[in-house]
Amino acid sequence: MEGTIANRLLSAVFYPLYVIRSVLSKPFDSFIASRSGPFSGSVELNSHRVYILPTRVGIIFTLLLLVLLLGSINYTKSLGFMLTFLLASLGIVGMLTTWRNLAGLKVSGQGASPVFAGQDAVFAVQLENHSGDQRYAITIASKDKIGDTIDIRPEAIGILRFRRKTTTRGYLDPGRIKLMTEFPLGLFTAWTWVDLSMNCLVYPAAAAKASQVSSSDTQSGEEQAEGIGLEDFAGLRKSQPGDSWRRISWKAVARLDELYSKEFTGGQPELQWIDWLSIDEPSQEARLSVMVRMVLDAQQAGRHYGLRLPTVEIKPDNGQLQQHQCLKALALYRLET
Amino acid sequence: MFKGTGAVQAGDIVDQGRFIINTSQLWALLLGIQLVAAPFYWRIPLTVIMTVAIYTFWVSMIAFNRTRQPGKFVRVMLLLLTLAVMTVSYGTLLGREAGTGFLILLSFLKLFEISSKRDIYILVYLNYFLIASNFFHTQSPWVAVYVFVVVIYLTSLLILFSDRLATIVWQQRMRIAARIILQATPLMLILFVLFPRIPGPLWGLPKDATTAVTGLSEDMSPGSMSSLIQSDEVAFRVRFEEAPPPHQAMYWRGPVFSHYDGQTWTAGFTSKRAKPNLQASANNSGYMKYTVTLVPHQRDWLFALEYPVQLENSGYRLTREMQLLNKRKISSVFQYSVLSDSQIINQGLSEQERKRNLHLPDQLNPQTADLARRWLSESNGQTQSVVNKALRYFRNQPFVYTLNPPLLGNDAMDDFLFESRRGFCEHYSSAFVYLMRAAGIPARVVTGYQGGDKNPLDDYIIVRQSNAHAWAEVWMEGKGWSRVDPTAAVSPDRIESGIQDAVAERDLLPAILISENAWLRHARYQWDSFNNTWNEWVVGFDQKRQTRLFQQLGMQQADWQQLVIWMVVAMFLVGGGVAWWVFRQGSGKRVDKLRRAYDQFCTKLAKTGSRRLINEGPQEYYARIRDRLVPACADTADKIVQQYVRIRYGSEGSRQNIKTFLRAVKGFHARV
């Protein structure tokens, strides 16, 4: 009950500030946009890019100073003046320190790993601290969503991540990101806007179940049980990412403590064309989703698969790279200009 | 809301929108609030202290994880309890004493319901405010030091809560806070000296804005002076422009009492508008100019040598009784300059005043009245002769000057003059005035201070409460009001050298007066000298001081506009210096000769078109760019890199090796 009254009072006090902010926000935004990038590579946060303003509690602190000043005048307390001025100077030094905590850092975008639509894209931003003092409590935010907070040791690197929701396939550009800090006193917040021209590739969301897989045909046309087409065991090689777990030699794992895949020669691996035309779905996006599911399933099963889209064809292969290329083609289908 | 330390992960401050404060942060807050509240424990009522103790215990239990955060109902109950305690202890929430008590209780109460980071900040601000309210009571250097330390601690709390990952240990936190305060100090000094001082008050002071302190009071009865004598507190300090007058000539005039009711002397009726009727002396040989730094005594009177004639400004006035009064009560250290003239003649005696200064309570002290009438008839109405007879009486009868006089009965004067004959200055002065009035001579009691202790280290006079004195003033035709000090007749030592040589009960006197140890005396004078400087330049720094300081610096008319201009200019200049200080932090940390040379080497290698990345080790970087160097150059560089690695990470860090390395770097040129 106490809290709500206090909150209402505070809101009343701050209301004029909000009005001012909303009036000023448009020209201010375009001013910031003019100097926040986009940058490729790294950008140093110099004095043109780090802005600083008092926080809400900073404004309350100013009110406290006023009360102290009036009290000191009224009661003619010289030491009261001294404390008031000490706190005011503390505010000034706090402002400089907060600004300094962010300024001079070098920022570069580290991009984001591809995700499926609907998943969160996780972007990484690298901060390099070339100075001899530690930077504290630097927070990243994108579109008002707060990301990581980190400290960066002297002459060291810190990685800050932030998440963005994805909804549609294609490239997701997080746009301007905000780096900010309130350290050390919380009276001021220093921030910067940078557009690091980062992208995250968003694959189409995979359909829940590839119900149409049955209607798609395997190229060989022969009825083959899974994995049988690989006839002669040729030996073992170290597993690589993307190898099907079905080919892992579990005996070798037990002996050697490392993953080995069985290699076969002779015979044909099962071959599958994932073909746009063979999929029976009304909408383009649904069709893409089904194809994504098929790519994933084929990769999972260890089949060699190829992709046929009206615009592009990818030759059959298996492996992480193949999967990525297929999914990328699906993600960007009819998007690229 | 509260979690054990173990449960809180780094960066876990905000958990689903709920604010979490961990136990170590709670302890830190509790300590801060206790540090702020500690000086008040001497002043606030016991009920409030007990409530604070209960709250502290409760919060400690929460911090120890012994109990949970109380629910909303309990918190409302606690608020009601707090209000009840306030009602019982003060009967109000307003006023200075009640206000600070209430704020202390509230800040403890707030510990039970911290729900956002803003709550904590506001709690810390509240405590900044509370610690400032110590200055209502005293502005001594000790309090200043304590407040300064607590401010550093409170600032470290702000750091604690903006250090979102909680990576800073408390020692480092204190260090950062101290550094920030240190950086703020130059700016604070500028504001302190240059911010235009507005003389207060801006609005009325609350009734309890002042506190009782030792000092002269508005009346005088037996015992009131002798209790003062035992205090070594400083009443005021005086700096004379020329040599100070001798001890026996320093009568610091304070309250004047004209009315006697048989027990107590009071001022009686005084006209506020009546001006003194002074007759200037022929020459100015009795002029004394000096500045008094008065310790706050919560009264409106000022002290000046008899008799003040010229005042520095109109903030204070001279009454008909030659008493110096300020407009308001003195609640802060106060400085004023006065010109006194010891030779001036005070002719102020109207018919009403004559009547008032002859008035005695009816039917009391018959023996005393008889004695006075006898003297009058023996001296043919000669005032001077009656005065002399009285003084001779005090000198010749076995009177004793003592701090422990016996109690007097209803006829106090009779008891004193004819039976006990043991007394202190208030007894002698009041008995003398009584005798004079009984003999038909207008007379009154003057209280104030007599003498003063010269600080040999810094040439000023210290007047302590132990210098408190009471004397008499009689009306003499032609000479006006004249000072007569009957105590001098009984105990000349009191007037000539001070109380310490005059009374038998030396052990009752303040230690500083009787100490024989030269070193101790010296240390005490040193301390007093520091106190005086503190009072003159820090506590007493007001508009007058400010103006005077600027006049000394050559600016004759330092009005507030000029001060503001100077303040802004100085803030920008010094602020620039402070900014430089803040920004170059840490850059001095890697001034290790070896490292600097290696950095130089890397700068030279950057000619290859690639700088060393911050995360690259010496060998890694070199491996990356080696191929870009001309082969001959690469051979030299190979050696330098190996040398560096061996010195830095191996065991070959001898001075000779480092020297060779430095030379090698100096001579190296990268050729691509």
Side-chain angles (χ1 to χ4, degrees):
Chain A
M1 43 146 231
E2 198 188 49
T4 53
I5 294 169
N7 272 334
R8 266 181 217 165
L9 265 172
L10 279 177
S11 312
V13 169
F14 288 114
Y15 182 71
L17 292 174
Y18 290 136
V19 173
I20 292 170
R21 198 170 75 172
S22 63
V23 169
L24 288 179
S25 68
K26 267 207 176 146
F28 187 63
D29 269 1
S30 60
F31 165 75
I32 285 187
S34 69
R35 41 170 73 198
S36 62
F39 304 102
S40 53
S42 66
V43 53
E44 191 175 338
L45 301 181
N46 57 22
S47 55
H48 301 296
R49 298 214 177 83
V50 179
Y51 312 98
I52 191 154
L53 271 184
T55 56
R56 235 180 206 242
V57 289
I59 291 167
I60 299 172
F61 183 75
T62 319
L63 295 179
L64 164 91
L65 289 183
L66 272 178
V67 172
L68 274 176
L69 183 65
L70 287 178
S72 304
I73 293 174
N74 198 45
Y75 294 90
T76 49
K77 295 296 176 193
S78 203
L79 287 186
F81 278 109
M82 200 174 251
L83 183 66
T84 310
F85 296 147
L86 182 67
L87 291 179
S89 310
L90 183 75
I92 296 173
V93 174
M95 180 181 76
L96 294 171
T97 313
T98 305
W99 192 86
R100 159 72 180 160
N101 194 39
L102 192 60
L105 291 174
K106 243 183 184 175
V107 192
S108 49
Q110 301 288 301
S113 307
V115 292
F116 293 95
Q119 290 180 325
D120 278 357
V122 181
F123 289 90
V125 169
Q126 175 178 290
L127 293 184
E128 289 171 47
N129 178 12
H130 287 275
S131 68
D133 55 341
Q134 183 155 352
R135 311 302 181 96
Y136 297 96
I138 293 171
T139 304
I140 197 165
S142 167
K143 293 247 152 92
D144 294 333
K145 247 191 112 183
I146 306 287
D148 282 355
T149 298
I150 52 161
D151 292 353
I152 312 171
R153 289 159 47 75
E155 306 202 40
I157 289 177
I159 302 287
L160 277 164
R161 280 155 313 170
F162 64 93
R163 290 167 171 275
R164 284 289 296 275
K165 275 219 161 58
T166 61
T167 48
T168 50
R169 66 192 173 86
Y171 280 116
L172 172 71
D173 179 359
R176 261 177 5 199
I177 53 163
K178 189 182 188 184
L179 292 165
M180 56 193 174
T181 182
E182 289 183 5
F183 188 85
L185 301 182
L187 303 177
F188 287 88
T189 172
W191 81 96
T192 186
W193 288 107
V194 277
D195 186 340
L196 296 167
S197 46
M198 287 191 291
N199 274 322
C200 178
L201 181 61
V202 184
Y203 303 142
K209 238 180 155 185
S211 51
Q212 275 76 16
V213 171
S214 56
S215 71
S216 79
D217 49 344
T218 47
Q219 179 69 19
S220 61
E222 298 163 5
E223 201 61 41
Q224 284 175 325
E226 247 176 60
I228 301 180
L230 312 162
E231 281 161 5
D232 305 318
F233 177 68
L236 290 174
R237 66 162 168 83
K238 267 195 186 169
S239 280
Q240 283 163 357
D243 283 350
S244 166
W245 60 269
R246 286 165 204 272
R247 291 212 223 155
I248 303 277
S249 161
W250 297 108
K251 279 184 199 156
V253 171
R255 261 183 296 135
L256 300 168
D257 254 5
E258 259 183 303
L259 288 180
Y260 282 84
S261 295
K262 291 178 249 186
E263 280 201 314
F264 299 88
T265 55
Q268 283 292 311
E270 192 183 3
L271 195 71
Q272 179 185 9
W273 279 101
I274 299 168
D275 194 340
W276 172 266
L277 295 171
S278 68
I279 292 170
D280 181 26
E281 278 287 340
S283 77
Q284 170 182 297
E285 294 305 312
R287 212 179 267 201
L288 290 172
S289 286
V290 169
M291 291 174 79
V292 166
R293 170 52 60 196
M294 289 166 72
V295 168
L296 295 178
D297 288 347
Q299 170 71 23
Q300 181 70 19
R303 288 190 289 262
H304 277 209
Y305 55 93
L307 186 74
R308 275 202 200 111
L309 284 168
T311 51
V312 69
E313 180 178 308
I314 294 172
K315 291 210 168 67
D317 198 355
N318 179 281
Q320 212 64 290
L321 186 62
Q322 172 73 358
Q323 174 180 317
H324 172 68
Q325 272 168 349
C326 294
L327 292 179
K328 184 177 176 183
L330 292 170
L332 301 180
Y333 175 64
R334 290 214 167 133
L335 282 183
E336 274 175 314
T337 47
Chain B
M1 188 179 300
F2 294 102
K3 270 191 173 182
T5 325
V8 176
Q9 301 297 309
D12 199 8
I13 301 280
V14 176
D15 175 36
Q16 291 152 6
R18 291 278 278 171
F19 180 78
I20 297 175
I21 174 170
N22 66 31
T23 48
S24 64
Q25 289 171 330
L26 189 59
W27 280 121
L29 267 183
L30 183 62
L31 174 64
I33 295 172
Q34 279 289 357
L35 283 176
V36 169
F40 293 93
Y41 291 154
W42 279 268
R43 299 194 284 263
I44 56 180
L46 195 63
T47 43
V48 178
I49 295 178
M50 278 164 61
T51 318
V52 164
I54 293 168
Y55 289 172
T56 305
F57 178 74
W58 195 335
V59 172
S60 309
M61 285 296 103
I62 294 172
F64 274 130
N65 267 331
R66 292 289 165 80
T67 176
R68 292 175 63 89
Q69 170 76 15
K72 193 167 183 180
F73 175 73
V74 179
R75 294 210 302 272
V76 171
M77 285 294 118
L78 281 175
L79 183 61
L80 291 179
L81 171 71
T82 305
L83 292 175
V85 167
M86 286 305 298
T87 315
V88 170
S89 315
Y90 300 99
T92 171
L93 295 180
L94 302 175
R96 203 192 60 195
E97 296 295 329
T100 46
F102 188 48
L103 288 183
I104 288 172
L105 285 175
L106 274 190
S107 58
F108 277 96
L109 205 57
K110 191 73 198 164
L111 288 177
F112 292 113
E113 53 159 12
I114 291 168
S115 59
S116 75
K117 213 160 117 187
R118 198 170 68 206
D119 286 353
I120 292 181
Y121 283 113
I122 290 170
L123 185 57
V124 173
Y125 298 161
L126 183 69
N127 278 278
Y128 276 134
F129 185 78
L130 271 173
I131 196 75
S133 65
N134 274 301
F135 298 139
F136 281 129
H137 294 273
T138 163
Q139 301 190 76
S140 76
W142 293 119
V143 171
V145 168
Y146 184 77
V147 169
F148 194 73
V149 170
V150 172
V151 164
I152 291 180
Y153 185 82
L154 290 177
T155 308
S156 85
L157 286 182
L158 292 183
I159 295 173
L160 173 64
F161 289 99
S162 53
D163 171 29
R164 303 235 338 246
L165 300 181
T167 48
I168 306 181
V169 293
W170 71 268
Q171 295 96 326
Q172 200 187 350
R173 209 156 57 224
M174 291 300 286
R175 234 183 351 255
I176 296 175
R179 192 191 68 209
I180 293 177
I181 295 274
L182 196 66
Q183 287 166 335
T185 310
L187 297 175
M188 179 268 278
L189 287 177
I190 288 175
L191 288 172
F192 184 77
V193 175
L194 291 175
F195 189 88
R197 294 302 176 85
I198 303 153
L202 300 173
W203 66 90
L205 301 178
K207 288 234 160 48
D208 62 352
T210 55
T211 17
V213 287
T214 44
L216 294 179
S217 60
E218 278 159 338
D219 51 43
M220 187 185 84
S221 50
S224 59
M225 285 288 169
S226 42
S227 63
L228 269 185
I229 298 290
Q230 295 168 40
S231 159
D232 69 346
E233 276 179 45
V234 173
F236 52 92
R237 299 181 177 85
V238 193
R239 220 179 259 286
F240 282 88
E241 289 204 346
E242 282 153 33
H247 195 278
Q248 64 267 25
M250 285 193 284
Y251 278 85
W252 305 98
R253 193 179 177 91
V256 178
F257 301 134
S258 301
H259 181 79
Y260 185 58
D261 69 353
Q263 277 295 320
T264 307
W265 288 91
T266 50
F269 171 82
T270 50
S271 165
K272 280 217 160 145
R273 259 169 295 163
K275 293 259 179 316
N277 178 9
L278 299 177
Q279 184 188 323
S281 54
N283 55 22
N284 56 7
S285 62
Y287 277 13
M288 291 165 290
K289 209 169 173 198
Y290 50 91
T291 302
V292 179
T293 309
L294 183 59
V295 172
H297 57 2
Q298 316 298 0
R299 312 280 186 184
D300 59 352
W301 55 72
L302 307 174
F303 298 97
L305 281 181
E306 291 187 325
Y307 299 92
V309 287
Q310 193 184 326
L311 311 174
E312 190 187 46
N313 69 11
S314 54
Y316 25 91
R317 65 191 173 90
L318 205 51
T319 65
R320 176 93 173 156
E321 289 79 24
M322 297 296 283
Q323 217 186 316
L324 202 53
L325 291 184
N326 189 39
K327 265 187 192 153
R328 283 178 295 276
K329 289 180 176 175
I330 308 292
S331 55
S332 298
V333 169
F334 186 76
Q335 292 188 28
Y336 54 97
S337 300
V338 189
L339 177 73
S340 285
D341 181 2
S342 59
Q343 320 249 306
I344 205 154
I345 296 168
N346 179 6
Q347 296 279 28
L349 189 72
S350 63
E351 258 327 291
Q352 283 92 352
E353 282 172 307
R354 176 182 290 274
K355 225 186 236 168
R356 272 202 301 278
N357 284 300
L358 283 172
H359 174 263
L360 287 174
D362 295 334
Q363 296 157 358
L364 283 179
N365 304 307
Q367 278 179 283
T368 311
D370 282 348
L371 181 65
R373 275 195 289 275
R374 202 169 67 237
W375 286 343
L376 182 66
S377 60
E378 281 170 12
S379 40
N380 304 323
Q382 290 279 312
T383 306
Q384 188 64 52
S385 162
V386 178
V387 169
N388 290 345
K389 279 194 165 65
L391 291 178
R392 204 174 310 126
Y393 181 81
F394 281 126
R395 201 174 303 129
N396 294 343
Q397 299 299 319
F399 278 98
V400 178
Y401 187 66
T402 174
L403 283 172
N404 282 330
L407 282 176
L408 303 173
N410 212 19
D411 289 322
M413 296 302 161
D414 283 4
D415 286 358
F416 172 66
L417 286 172
F418 303 104
E419 281 174 35
S420 75
R421 287 176 174 167
R422 298 166 67 84
F424 201 61
C425 59
E426 69 259 38
H427 298 86
Y428 294 99
S429 56
S430 66
F432 181 82
V433 170
Y434 198 98
L435 282 165
M436 292 302 114
R437 288 189 177 184
I441 302 167
R444 59 198 182 191
V445 172
V446 182
T447 57
Y449 296 89
Q450 203 281 318
D453 194 6
K454 190 171 164 185
N455 188 331
L457 302 172
D458 190 10
D459 240 26
Y460 61 89
I461 304 286
I462 310 164
V463 179
R464 297 172 197 284
Q465 297 300 346
S466 56
N467 288 96
H469 193 50
W471 58 93
E473 222 170 28
V474 292
W475 174 262
M476 293 189 191
E477 291 300 333
K479 289 164 79 180
W481 284 105
S482 313
R483 178 176 69 222
V484 179
D485 188 351
T487 311
V490 181
S491 172
D493 287 342
R494 165 71 185 86
I495 307 305
E496 271 153 35
S497 56
I499 185 80
Q500 64 275 23
D501 298 325
V503 290
E505 303 93 340
R506 279 171 60 95
D507 51 328
L508 286 178
L509 291 176
I512 187 161
L513 295 181
I514 52 170
S515 169
E516 306 290 343
N517 185 325
W519 184 86
L520 217 59
R521 277 185 86 89
H522 181 85
R524 281 186 173 130
Y525 279 125
Q526 196 99 56
W527 174 240
D528 192 86
S529 172
F530 171 72
N531 264 304
N532 185 42
T533 314
W534 175 261
N535 279 345
E536 281 181 349
W537 285 102
V538 180
V539 180
F541 191 82
D542 55 4
Q543 207 188 10
K544 275 180 277 168
R545 272 269 166 201
Q546 209 172 27
T547 316
R548 212 181 311 162
L549 181 72
F550 274 85
Q551 280 166 356
Q552 279 167 10
L553 291 175
M555 275 178 285
Q556 282 311 311
Q557 272 140 9
D559 54 2
W560 69 268
Q561 288 102 327
Q562 246 177 332
L563 284 179
V564 168
I565 291 170
W566 278 109
M567 183 177 78
V568 171
V569 169
M571 280 302 276
F572 267 101
L573 287 178
V574 177
V578 170
W580 180 78
W581 182 5
V582 170
F583 293 161
R584 67 170 283 284
Q585 267 158 31
S587 58
K589 274 179 199 158
R590 53 167 188 220
V591 287
D592 146 23
K593 237 198 254 170
L594 189 65
R595 177 61 197 262
R596 217 184 306 149
Y598 176 68
D599 284 346
Q600 220 175 349
F601 177 62
C602 288
T603 316
K604 287 178 177 179
L605 283 181
K607 262 195 195 168
T608 58
S610 186
R611 303 187 128 270
R612 186 176 73 88
L613 297 180
I614 203 162
N615 52 343
E616 270 178 326
Q619 282 169 327
E620 238 178 309
Y621 170 55
Y622 184 63
R624 184 157 63 82
I625 54 127
R626 185 180 188 279
D627 293 343
R628 305 185 199 174
L629 292 171
V630 175
C633 179
D635 288 343
T636 332
D638 283 348
K639 274 185 208 137
I640 293 179
V641 173
Q642 279 163 22
Q643 241 177 330
Y644 178 69
V645 170
R646 277 203 302 268
I647 295 171
R648 169 82 18 183
Y649 307 105
S651 54
E652 296 180 22
S654 73
R655 195 171 296 176
Q656 189 54 45
N657 283 350
I658 293 178
K659 238 182 193 168
T660 333
F661 173 72
L662 297 184
R663 214 173 306 125
V665 169
K666 218 172 184 184
F668 176 76
H669 293 286
R671 276 176 294 140
V672 188

